[in-house]
Amino acid sequence: MHVKKIFSTQLIFFFGAMVCLAQGKKSKGDAYFFQYEYKAAIEAYEQDMGKGTLTEQQFLNLADSYFKNNDFEKASEVYLKLYEKDSLLGNHHLNKMMQSLLKVSGEGKNDTLLTAMSSKFRKEFLENFDFNTQILSKKEEDEALDFQIFNLKSNSPQSDFAPSFYEDQLLFSSGRSLDKRNIYSPAGESYLNIFKAKSRKDGQISADVQPFTEINDSDYHKATPYYAKGLKGIFYVLSNTENGNLAFDDNGKNALAIGMQLPDGTFRLLLKDLSTSFYYPFYDEKSERLYFSANFKDSYGGTDIYYVYTNRGQIMSAPINLGPRINSPGNEIAPFIFENSFYFSSDVFYGLGGMDVYKSNLEDDTFSIPVNLGEGINSSYDDFGFIMRNEGDGLLGYFSSNRAGGKGKDDLYGFKVDEKPGLKTLALRGKITTLKGDTGVEKAVVRLLNENGGLLAETYTDDEGNYRIEIPWEKEVVLESSKERYSFFRKKFSEEELNALENTKYNFTVSNYDVLVEEKEDQTVIKLKKFFFGRNSYKLTPEIETELDKVAAFIESFPAAQLRIETYTDSRGGSSTNFRLTQNRSDTMKKYLLKKGVPESNILFSVGYGENKILNNCTNGVYCLEMLHQQNQRSLFVILNHNLLFD
């Protein structure tokens, strides 16, 4: 079995009469299909189809066989027939159907079908799709990196793929022949083996390519190595065997396991399931996670990327799926982490073609939207198995591809580049809280606008007030956030500010209207601490100014609010004197607010009511304690349009 992509590889195909699908009939095609003999499976299935004995599942197997055999026209026809029946097509096969249709009819001709299918896909997938479609169409020449990509001279006519750094050498997988080795018939090559060669300063490898003998010998597949320098161990995949012979599941399928070879010769079989193949192990020294690809039944598509926790390579947890931000309805393989960026390959249909390499940034144990690396590393063919390291003043990396001009089925390619490849994006993330900073604001809308006010992207905060929004790179953006009964937030970012925010959070606060107001005397007023003017004075004290600053902040948060300033005094003194005193107090507070930047249009009235509205029995001639008189000394900032603010 070939473990590269792993699945490499209009509608005018004529089946004759309508296909008649039978119930539960066996077919020789099944055995061929599970042994990856797709040409033979096609012949057997087509014979059974002519007899009318093909089951729906076998019809789907036939479509997959066409697909694997690169007969995309026939594959698309069968997938479409099954799609119209709304039967067995899950998201993984919808991805294959779209791949086939794009191969046959080209881009831009299947928008109607994709729109009809969109309800079947998860939100994350649709976001990834929209983002990559947008960024791949935005070709800015001044952002293009100068790649030096070269074919390795030591490639063979067979498949050479899955490069891995090993001290001063390069490890890779190959189907090149060795003496006394069996031939793996589906690929027409030797069973895969791991080889090594010395790395040269120019990025090429030596012509003296040798089998990698530091791992146990086997007559069957050994492939996709990864050298964990800290453990000095080699992770790799190998064929499931029992007593030296291939082991098969009930369907006659032979799968791949993951093992680890240590320098002392100890071999550990880490992951094995007769019905599940494991691919492309990658060990992250920092987290001690072992990443890999597998085709478990609970995947989001075909082959997904998972990880397990380890203790120096010993498995310590069940496999954990990376989730729908990374895994798609397609196949995801070949995980690799470099400087906080997560690279992998996927054959999701919106790429440049076949398998493409994608990059996602690691953010507090979450992933940013995976971005296609674009032309250069990626092509219209299969590009996969990407690795990279610092070398001199730049970066040296390798990947595999079956693009035109190679020497074999898959070739190893090297590249040199000055900085990390990948189309530049802008990601803003953080948390929105209320003014006290202790309560997250859930379901607030967050928008990014361009310098002309055009909407670039929109999202909502989660239950804890966290947001994340990502777009193709812009030199200037405006961040806006709003939620009913909360203050509106707006911030413009320059290019310098955006660069400074890379890999950091941008948190901000908003005001909750209902927390800042209260009901008093049958009116909605701004909530303030009670304050007092001096006896017979309208001079502002620092305590009064502190409360007035809260009023100014309220208007800044809710600029549509219209106020009436009301001031009252107690019954002591003459009534006309009290009217003048309270009017002066209201006017003084208004002048302070205007000086603080509150627009005059927000303060419709400033009124002194004197002793006209006594709240208790302390009227003229009644003896009262000072604290009772103070109950009548008050200022209110009444919100006149309270009932209209959020209509």
Side-chain angles (χ1 to χ4, degrees), residues 28 69 78 82-83 99 111 141 195 230 260 313 335 338 341 400 408 412 462 492 502 567 570 608:
K28 290 182 179 179
N69 208 41
V78 179
L82 289 167
Y83 175 72
Q99 283 182 290
D111 293 344
E141 294 182 3
F195 292 81
M260 179 176 69
F338 178 74
S341 292
S400 309
L412 296 171
D462 63 17
K492 185 176 181 179
E502 189 174 4
T567 304
D570 57 44

Side-chain angles (χ1 to χ4, degrees), residues 178-349:
L178 291 172
D179 292 339
K180 300 180 182 179
R181 289 188 60 83
N182 297 326
I183 296 298
Y184 177 58
S185 56
E189 301 179 352
S190 294
Y191 278 93
L192 295 170
N193 197 15
I194 298 172
F195 292 81
K196 66 178 181 180
K198 281 273 190 180
S199 298
R200 294 179 2 192
K201 289 185 178 180
D202 62 358
Q204 289 284 349
I205 59 175
S206 67
D208 184 24
V209 175
Q210 297 293 326
F212 185 61
T213 57
E214 283 84 344
I215 58 177
N216 292 338
D217 192 22
S218 168
D219 290 335
Y220 305 109
H221 290 308
K222 301 192 298 290
T224 64
Y226 179 76
Y227 174 59
K229 188 174 182 178
L231 300 179
K232 297 189 181 299
I234 303 289
F235 294 88
Y236 64 102
V237 302
L238 64 161
S239 297
N240 283 324
T241 59
E242 289 182 7
N243 299 320
N245 297 312
L246 290 175
F248 300 91
D249 70 359
D250 292 339
N251 289 317
K253 175 182 177 181
N254 175 254
L256 296 173
I258 290 180
M260 179 176 69
Q261 187 86 38
L262 296 173
D264 62 3
T266 302
F267 173 78
R268 296 175 185 166
L269 188 60
L270 301 179
L271 293 164
K272 177 180 179 179
D273 182 330
L274 289 180
S275 297
T276 301
S277 280
F278 300 90
Y279 311 101
Y280 286 94
F282 170 81
Y283 180 74
D284 180 31
E285 307 263 358
K286 182 179 178 181
S287 66
E288 293 195 79
R289 291 177 177 178
L290 176 63
Y291 292 85
F292 58 90
S293 304
N295 56 350
F296 289 124
K297 291 181 179 179
D298 67 346
S299 71
Y300 290 92
T303 298
D304 279 5
I305 298 176
Y306 295 78
Y307 69 86
V308 289
Y309 290 105
T310 77
N311 181 3
R312 296 190 58 80
Q314 288 275 32
I315 305 296
M316 302 297 289
S317 75
I320 299 169
N321 192 297
L322 290 195
R325 180 59 70 200
I326 296 296
N327 292 315
S328 77
N331 298 288
E332 281 70 45
I333 61 167
F336 180 77
I337 296 175
F338 178 74
E339 293 184 349
N340 218 41
S341 292
F342 185 83
Y343 297 88
F344 66 98
S345 296
S346 175
D347 68 354
V348 66
F349 66 81

Side-chain angles (χ1 to χ4, degrees), residues 323-389:
R325 180 59 70 200
I326 296 296
N327 292 315
S328 77
N331 298 288
E332 281 70 45
I333 61 167
F336 180 77
I337 296 175
F338 178 74
E339 293 184 349
N340 218 41
S341 292
F342 185 83
Y343 297 88
F344 66 98
S345 296
S346 175
D347 68 354
V348 66
F349 66 81
Y350 54 70
L352 295 182
M355 276 280 170
D356 280 358
V357 181
Y358 291 79
K359 181 186 80 170
S360 173
N361 294 322
L362 291 164
E363 301 173 347
D364 298 334
D365 211 27
T366 62
F367 296 94
S368 68
I369 291 176
V371 177
N372 193 296
L373 291 194
E375 294 180 357
I377 295 295
N378 292 323
S379 68
S380 60
Y381 295 87
D382 292 312
D383 307 289
F384 56 100
F386 176 97
I387 62 172
M388 181 169 57
R389 71 181 181 192

Side-chain angles (χ1 to χ4, degrees), residues 45 49 62 66 83 175 179 202 210 217 227 232 243 296 319 324 340 364 404 418 483 504 508 518 562 593 622:
Y45 282 141
M49 184 172 61
L62 175 60
Y66 286 137
Y83 175 72
D179 292 339
D202 62 358
Q210 297 293 326
D217 192 22
Y227 174 59
K232 297 189 181 299
N243 299 320
F296 289 124
N340 218 41
D364 298 334
D418 290 335
K483 181 181 179 180
T504 62
F508 58 91
E518 60 183 343
Q562 297 175 336
L593 291 174
V622 177

